[in-house]
Every structure is written in structure tokens, then in C-alpha cells.
Amino acid sequence: MKKIIEVKNLSKSYKNLKAIDDLSFDVYEGEILGLLGPNGSGKSTTINSILNLLEFEKGTIKIFGKIMKPDAYDIKRDIGVIFQEVAVFEELTVYENIDYFCGLYVSDKLLRKSYVEDAINLVGLKEFTKFYPKQLSGGLLRRLNIACGIAHKPKLIFLDEPTVAVDPQSRNNILDGIKKLRDDGATIVYTTHYMEEVEMICDRIIILDKGKILAEGTTDELKSLAKLEEKITLEVKKISSKVVDEIKTFKTVDSVIQNGNNLVITYKKGKDNLGELTSFLHSKKVTYSKIFSERPTLNDVFLELTGKDLRD
Amino acid sequence: MFIHNFKYSLKVLFRNKSLIFWTFIFPILLGTFFHMAFKDIENNETFHAFDIAVVNSPYYENNTIFKKAINEASKESDNKLFNVKVVNKKDASKMLENKEITGYLEFSNSDVNIIINDNGIYETILKFFVDEVNSNKKIIENTVNEEISKGNLDYQMVISNVMEKLNETVEFKNISRSNLSYTMIEYYTLIAMAALYGGAISMYIINKNMPNMSSVGKRNSTAPIPKSTLLLSGLLASLVVQITGLILLFIYTIFILKIDYNSNIWLIALLAVVGSLAGLSLGCIIGTILKTNENAKSGILIAVTMFLSFLSGMMGITMKYVIDKNIPILNMINPAAMITDGFYALYYYGFESRYIFNILSLIVFSLIMLLISSISLRRQKYDSI
Ligand SMILES: Nc1ncnc2c1ncn2[C@@H]1O[C@H](COP(=O)(O)OP(=O)(O)OP(=O)(O)O)[C@@H](O)[C@H]1O
Ligand SMILES: [Mg+2]
């Protein structure tokens, strides 16, 4: 697979704070790479360093096989960036904003017109072309922000948390749009701290924390990394501590956490656990009002890797 | 690309309400305020009686018309122009030296000499008085000879003519170009201030192109275009907006407030354009070298502009005199003073060395500021954004 971005040994500090610590990873052609990490983990710093907006102490960045530099205009021509903060002119309408930013890449007026219209359709802002940013809701504003970054049909797109503070409708519109861009051939780097989004659209995921890569792979690969494989939640009327202790001795059980009448049992291995548990409870005459089994989520993986919740 | 960015920069700037307020509306409001405030001051100044002397001589004693006119003008009344003392020549020149009097008159056989030291408003009144009496005297001489011997002249008419002319400042200035109405300097500083406020416009452009100053700056910095192209086209647009603002201010002061700049419009325009350039460069330097947020920078720019305008005489001409006299270097590096002094020089001397010197100073100032700005703008990557 062709490497679109190659990051080698990237380190960046803000004064005393090490924001990125010896980071190396590649991004391959045609994929959506998810950069997943909690607030302050270094996602934005990574993107801004790759783009050469930030000065970094160490590391090399290659994009499209060439060294990235601030004046590497041939590389920049094929990149689109959607920054975490909305970056539009308050004084320009939706259409004018997209046309302005697109015009920095595309000189031909006719071609630009069709590009701008494509972008407007992609993010669904057709009825709002004459609106000023102030008149747009949060979700629509985010969509405008995206349209401004992708109107010139870049081959490589960076999206830094494009869905923060956006309602589910706009979020789905945005996620669909991003998938469509990938299907049209773009390579995408997508940062977020929402796991569902990553599970929905990313082909590959890098989990970042404190400027370091904790894990890397597809969703399934990451989940298989986890020690635990199954999680059973049980709501009982009454259960003796003797019974709980007995459950803990099961060969595949990793841990049992009791919280009043609720039990959360995690398993290292995941075969027939539910059946085994229900027949055991029957034999002990324990009645339960609810029982369900879950596969671990990325959040559980993250929790295991870092000992903290991804959304903190 | 250049034109694309230029066009959109114009759109952005003309639609930015706060920029338009500070650079278009605020100077006009301030000008209106000056106009209302100074109208009264101006009038009071003109009606203040001053001291003169007349050299005692037989020529004076025999010049009935002048003698009566002077008596009439110094009589206690609402129309009193001056207080007069009849003294010998030595005393008169001593009094003038000691600034006890504005000037003195010396009569010869056929003529009257006005001896003055300065070119202020009172000196001009004195000159005007003499002119007025002389011309009336001639009319009478030409018509009814006998009237002269009787000294029959309408003195009230003479004085009211003087007053009338004084009130019409425009007319007044035409009589004596060397007299500058006190309030004119305020309008010059107003234009200087407006020109420097234009710095807010160029600063806006700078901010929108620096990734550490604005999110749009980040976006612009990822575009495949040299930063210099974006900046130059943006700054050109900012100059156009600034000059538009100044043109409006001129139109307003000339046609609504009836200010007479008393000079060639092209020389005024040149000064305004060069002044705008100085404002632009001031905005660039504050925009680039200060490491703080957008609002703080605007506040600083406005404060600096106000202060520079104050030094150049905006809140009272005394300030300009004090600085010109004691710390001249301060106004030599103060762009507001250069603009003000440029207008002043144009008014006094026309297209001559002092005006040209101010124009050149403004250009040098702008170039130095722009040079320093461009050095710090060259930076491509930032420690933190
Ligand atoms: N301009 C700056 N000056 C100093 N420290 C900074 C600066 N920008 C970021 N940091 C710090 O660097 C670390 C990484 O920040 P970064 O913005 O890259 O994180 P992030 O993963 O994008 O977080 P978020 O999800 O909040 O956007 C954080 O600890 C942050 O506080
Ligand atoms: Mg971030």
C-alpha cells in the first residue's frame, strides 16, 4: 500500500510540556485513519506539526513521498485541512467563504464554481448559501467549516474534531460526507475523542495519550488486544457473598465487581460464558431480573491501556 | 490569486462593522464634536481686545481720519477692538519687544506702517483695521473732498466691517495667508488620527494571515500560496479602504463643516495617501511584533494613535508647541505630528521644503516600520499556535 504520510520520531514541546513524544506512524492511501485520544493527548499538535505550522524539535515528515516544508506548495495544493476551531470569515457569506478558500487553490473560475457547488451539496448547505456565519447554527457552522477545507478536492484531508458540539443529525451528515470523500479517493486523517465515530468510519485507529501511541490497528485488532473478551452485567434480587466468591473462581472470569444488586463480571476468554453463568445461578437458586452480555468497546480497551476513561 | 485575495479582502474589510466604525465613523463624529466645541472658542478669541501703541508724531496728529478711527476702535464698547497708547518710538519698540503690545503704528507723510513681531490672529486684525480705514479713506477722498477735512467717516461701519470679516474665517484667511485659525490644527490632527486608525485595517489583514493569531490565519497558512502574495494583496486592499475613509472625512469636513484647507487638493491628497501608508505600517508593526491577542492589539493601536495625536496637538495646540520647542525629536518620529505639520506647512508655505520634508519623513517612517514587520512576518513556523 502506498504511504501518503510518513511521520518519523516526531517530538514537540510547549515550553516544559512534552506534547508529542517520539511519535512515528504512517498513513496509507485511501484510508480513514482515526487519531483517537482524550483532551490534551496531542492530536491537534500532531496535525499542526505534520502541516509544518508548528516548529518541532525532532522528527521528519513526508507527505506524498516528499519532505514537508512550509513552502512546499506542490504538496500543500493537494491537502485540505479542517481545523478544530471554525475558520471562516464572519464578513463573508457561506458561498463567499467557500469560494474564497477554494480560490486559493483553484484559479479557473468555471471549475471553481462547480467545485464550490459540489462542496455545498456534500455538506448540505444548499439553502444557506447567502447566510453569514453568525446566522448559522452550530452544526451548520461546522459543516461550512468542512466545506471550506475540502472544496478544492484535496487528495489528503485532515479533520480535527469536526463534530464537536454538533447534534446527531449534523453529525451523521458530516460522517457520511467524510466516508463519501474517502470513497471518492481521498486519504483522511480524522481526530476525535468519540469512539462511536471511530468505530463507524475509521479503517485504522491510532490511540494517543500524552503524546505517545498506545495502540494502533483496526477496531477488531484493537479489541483483540484487550485481555477481557466479554462483559456480563447481572441484576439480581439477592445474592450471597459466598456465591459471588464462587463466581470469582471460575476459570475464565477476570473480575467481578459488585455494586449493590448489580454485578459486572468480566471474562478473559469468551466461550459459553453466559450459559455457564445462568446454569450456575439456577443451581444456587439465585433469581435475576436482568442479564446481558457485551463485547468490549474501544473505551474498555482504552481503559485497560491507560487506566482512565477516554472521555475524561 | 493576487486579485482573488485582493477582491475578497476588500469585501471583508468593508463589511467589518467595528473597523468601519473606528476608521470611517469615529473621525467624522469627532470632527463634528470639534466643530461644535470650537465654534464658540473661535468667536470668543476674535472678540478679545488687545493692546497696541501709536508713535506720537505730527503726522498722526494731522491724520484726522485715522486718529478718529483709532479712538473709535479703542472706545469702551461692545465693539472695542484694542487698547491704545500714544508713546514715542523708542517706548513703542520696547513695549513690542516685551510683548506688552501686539504691534504699533507709525505714521509718515502719506503712509502708515504697521510694526509687528508675530503673525498671530491679533496682528492680522490690526493689519485688517489699517487696510479697512485706508480703503474707506480713499473712497471718501475720491468722492467728497470736503468730508475729509471734517473727518466725516462712518467709524461704526469701519469697525463692523472688521468684525464681519473676522467672523467669516474663510474671508479672513484670504486676507492674510499667514494667519492660521486656531481650530485648523485640530482638524489636521483629526485627519492624522484617522490616517493612523487605518492601522486597525492593516492589522486585521495581518491577523488573518498569521496562524498564531486566528483560525483563518491557520487556514490561509496551509494554502499553496506564498505568504507574501496574501499579505501584499491584503495590505493593498487595506490601503484602498483607508483612503476611502479619508476621502469621506475630507468630503465631510469640506462640504458639511466648511473647513477650508486652503491648498491644492492634490497636495492634500498626496499627504493623505502617504499618511495612510504610515497608518498601515503602524498597524503592521503592532500586529506583528506584539505577542498578544487580537483585541489587546486593537486596544494598543487605538491607544498609541490617540497618544501620538495628542502629542501632535489634538487636545490643544499648546502640546505641539511645547514639544516642538523642548523635545523636537519626539514629533520628528511621530507620524501623527508629521501629518499635522505637513498640513500646517502646506497652509503656511504651500508646496515648499517643510511640506516635502514631512512627506519624506512619513515615507521613511513607513518603510522602516514595514521592514521590521516583514522581518518578523518571514517566519514560517511557530512555537505555538
Ligand atoms: N499553544 C500551546 N501552548 C502551550 N501548551 C499547549 C499549546 N497547545 C497545546 N498545548 C498543550 O499540549 C498538549 C496537547 O495539546 P493538543 O491541543 O495537541 O491536544 P488535543 O489532543 O488536540 O486535545 P483536544 O482534544 O482538547 O483538542 C496539551 O497538554 C495542551 O495543554
Ligand atoms: Mg485538539
Side-chain angles (χ1 to χ4, degrees), chain A residues 57-69:
Chain A
E57 295 93 64
K58 206 160 76 56
T60 52
I61 310 285
K62 274 193 194 172
I63 301 181
F64 306 129
K66 286 173 274 191
I67 299 278
M68 179 62 177
K69 280 181 290 186

Side-chain angles (χ1 to χ4, degrees), chain A residues 201-231:
Chain A
I201 65 165
C202 293
D203 302 305
R204 215 156 53 83
I205 298 159
I206 288 177
I207 298 184
L208 268 185
D209 190 35
K210 296 186 185 134
K212 281 195 170 112
I213 294 180
L214 289 183
E216 188 176 350
T218 61
T219 317
D220 288 337
E221 280 168 358
L222 288 179
K223 285 183 180 173
S224 69
L225 271 182
K227 279 208 305 285
L228 63 122
E229 291 229 325
E230 192 174 5
K231 189 162 87 179

Side-chain angles (χ1 to χ4, degrees), chain A residues 82-94:
Chain A
I82 289 90
F83 289 99
Q84 188 168 348
E85 319 90 74
V86 173
V88 296
F89 281 104
E90 291 294 328
E91 300 89 345
L92 299 181
T93 63
V94 165

Side-chain angles (χ1 to χ4, degrees), chain B residues 1 34 45 77 86 103 118 126 151 155-156 158 186 195 197 199 230 257 265 267 278 286 307 313 341 357-358 383:
Chain B
M1 211 59 68
F34 281 168
E45 292 285 352
S77 78
V86 181
D118 283 323
L126 184 58
Y155 302 104
Q156 285 309 325
V158 168
E186 308 292 343
Y197 268 164
L230 290 175
L257 301 186
I265 190 76
L267 292 178
I286 292 179
F307 182 64
D341 201 64
F357 178 76
N358 278 304
D383 287 332

Side-chain angles (χ1 to χ4, degrees), chain B residues 9 142 279 285 301 316 362:
Chain B
S9 300
N142 292 343
I285 193 110
L301 179 75
L362 282 166

Side-chain angles (χ1 to χ4, degrees), chain B residues 124-282:
Chain B
T124 313
I125 294 175
L126 184 58
K127 278 194 243 172
F128 190 82
F129 171 78
V130 172
D131 285 348
E132 189 71 12
V133 177
N134 267 332
S135 63
N136 277 287
K137 190 174 161 225
K138 277 204 189 86
I139 295 167
I140 295 164
E141 274 171 350
N142 292 343
T143 50
V144 201
N145 236 339
E146 300 138 30
E147 295 288 292
I148 319 163
S149 53
K150 289 188 215 144
N152 236 350
L153 183 66
D154 188 346
Y155 302 104
Q156 285 309 325
M157 172 91 152
V158 168
I159 290 170
S160 87
N161 274 351
V162 174
M163 303 314 274
E164 198 179 297
K165 296 269 167 155
L166 286 174
N167 286 331
E168 295 166 19
T169 24
V170 182
E171 288 286 296
F172 183 44
K173 267 177 277 153
N174 288 340
I175 295 157
S176 164
R177 284 202 38 169
S178 59
N179 188 281
L180 178 69
S181 156
Y182 281 4
T183 58
M184 281 310 288
I185 200 92
E186 308 292 343
Y187 292 101
Y188 298 159
T189 57
L190 182 69
I191 290 161
M193 185 202 76
L196 296 187
Y197 268 164
I201 301 174
S202 58
M203 200 162 83
Y204 192 76
I205 293 290
I206 298 272
N207 285 336
K208 293 294 176 206
N209 282 291
M210 286 169 76
N212 57 342
M213 281 314 301
S214 67
S215 52
V216 167
K218 280 189 204 170
R219 224 202 253 296
N220 276 334
S221 306
T222 58
I225 299 174
K227 193 155 40 169
S228 55
T229 309
L230 290 175
L231 280 171
L232 284 179
S233 55
L235 289 178
L236 187 66
S238 115
L239 193 62
V240 169
V241 177
Q242 277 176 260
I243 290 172
T244 310
L246 281 184
I247 289 174
L248 284 182
L249 184 60
F250 275 115
I251 290 177
Y252 183 75
T253 52
I254 292 172
F255 293 103
I256 311 280
L257 301 186
K258 307 263 186 249
I259 306 300
D260 179 14
Y261 292 95
N262 192 16
S263 180
N264 183 324
I265 190 76
W266 295 110
L267 292 178
I268 291 175
L270 176 66
L271 188 56
V273 169
V274 178
S276 296
L277 189 68
L280 179 144
S281 69
L282 190 69

